Amino acid sequence: MLASTARFVGNVGGVQLTWRNGLDSSEAAEVMALLDKAEQADGVAPVGEHVILRLKAHRDVIHQIEPVQADVRSEHFVVRDAGSVLIGYAHLDTEHEKTAGQLVAELAVHPDHRRKGVGARLVEALLDRAELSPEPAPDLGRLRIWSHGEHPGAVRLAERFGLSRPRELWRMGRDLAAPELPEPELAEGVRIRTFRAGRDEPSVVEVNHRAFAWHPEQGGMTEQDLRAKEREEWFDPAGFFLAVDGKDRLLGFHWTKVHPGGMGEVYVVGVDPAAQGGGLGRSLTVAGLRHLRDTGSRQVMLYVEGDNAPAIKVYQRLGFEKWDTDVQFGR
């Protein structure tokens, strides 16, 4: 692997912006602390789970003699004030740059340093970086910037830079006490069992790929990604439900998650296209909801594409309502 490199981007009013293609453990820890501050102030995490997992991988590496390694899937924009205190950060996901010509960014500004031009400087740097990308595939923009929870500051920046909103991700939720949850209804020969770590990863990844071939993030999950999440504190195989046929072939799955504080999540529901159309996805969802209720969660949430009307209708029939929206801004 190549050693990471850094490039000084600019200094305005004592505020320094630096581009990096790798972080050392101490800087990754600084970034995670900044993201925590932003989440505490806003009530919503400023970056997605995959960004946190990548930052943890940097933070947990102890660099001694060997240099910091370049990150092949991420680039980092770091903003520091005149005292070298971290006040802004942007993560740029470059994983699909070569295949789809697309770059996806997420950013955060320290709550004490907002409305001082830090966010605008990060967006300018991201737009400049996007100009270096290959031409995008038809109907794909070159750069997309997430705003989790449709933060008002992000909306102002989008208006300032003339960005549209090509994608919305709804967060929906419901209480688990009411309305009452139905029983799962399974076709003859189909049963639901729980995930077996060390055995079921290949089949889950295979079905996930077929079920989400259209999805820009979920469809690319690898066995390595799955095993990394198995090492997370929240992972619980008892809340990972697999629908299988009489020969134990995987037809679909519902992976649940419980957040700190007890909030449940319909983390991923995936059904093999060959098994779709018979209500299996709904039955798997119900099985997971009943598990979350029975293990103490009082509320449950999920994310669904804002233009996925069939899925939204299914969730509404199960008692879910729209809570808020994550927005991708782009040109």
Side-chain angles (χ1 to χ4, degrees), residues 49 53 218 229 234 254-257 259 264-269 301-303:
E49 180 186 53
L53 290 173
Q218 184 62 33
K229 292 182 180 181
W234 59 263
H254 179 188
W255 189 353
T256 69
K257 178 178 181 179
H259 294 258
E265 181 178 350
V266 177
Y267 188 54
V268 188
V269 177
M301 70 175 195
L302 58 84
Y303 291 95

Side-chain angles (χ1 to χ4, degrees), residues 81-156:
D81 66 10
S84 295
V85 175
L86 182 69
I87 61 174
Y89 170 75
H91 176 274
L92 188 65
D93 191 326
T94 61
E95 189 168 17
H96 303 293
E97 181 178 15
K98 291 183 179 180
T99 57
Q102 192 169 27
L103 297 163
V104 180
E106 295 165 84
L107 61 90
V109 177
H110 192 287
D112 295 339
H113 295 270
R114 292 176 177 175
R115 310 205 73 164
K116 298 178 182 179
V118 177
R121 188 68 189 92
L122 284 167
V123 173
E124 288 172 350
L126 290 167
L127 291 169
D128 288 344
R129 166 63 179 84
E131 290 301 315
L132 303 175
S133 300
E135 285 298 315
D139 82 358
L140 281 179
R142 191 172 293 168
L143 176 67
R144 296 286 182 264
I145 305 175
W146 276 114
S147 169
H148 298 282
E150 198 171 3
H151 193 282
V155 173
R156 290 192 295 269

